Amino acid sequence: MKPLIWFVCFAAAGAVQAALARLIGLQVLLLALYPAAAWLAGRLCRALDARRTAPAEPAAACPPVCFCRRCGARLPETARFCGRCGTKIEEVKP
């Protein structure tokens, strides 16, 4: 992936340099685009490395969710009756 990042950054710098050289005719001043492309490619590669090596965040603890057996409405764990259809919620034992 890193060689692709470097290639795209320098190809873009070359394309911008060629387009601006045709418009203003000064190619010498546009050589500053290549250090900028190198800086950008380096930043992108470091960001990619940081993303790959970042520890995975633990999943947030989600409260248990239950559903009404009659209408399928989502219910909080402490519900005794369905808020949509009024069915009494019975505790299911595993």
Side-chain angles (χ1 to χ4, degrees):
M1 185 69 163
K2 288 182 183 181
L4 180 64
I5 290 172
W6 284 91
F7 174 77
V8 168
C9 287
F10 278 95
V16 168
Q17 179 187 12
L20 289 177
R22 273 188 245 125
L23 290 175
I24 61 175
L26 293 174
Q27 192 167 2
V28 176
L29 298 177
L30 298 175
L31 293 178
L33 289 174
Y34 289 104
W39 176 83
L40 178 62
R43 294 280 295 181
L44 290 173
C45 287
R46 283 192 295 278
L48 181 64
D49 286 342
R51 187 172 181 180
R52 286 182 180 169
T53 59
E57 295 181 18
C62 298
V65 177
C66 59
F67 295 91
C68 175
R69 291 181 181 236
R70 183 172 179 200
C71 69
R74 182 177 274 211
L75 306 169
E77 182 183 9
T78 58
R80 293 185 182 174
F81 294 92
C82 175
R84 185 186 295 170
C85 68
T87 302
K88 183 176 178 181
I89 305 301
E90 298 176 13
E91 186 176 329
V92 177
K93 296 181 181 178

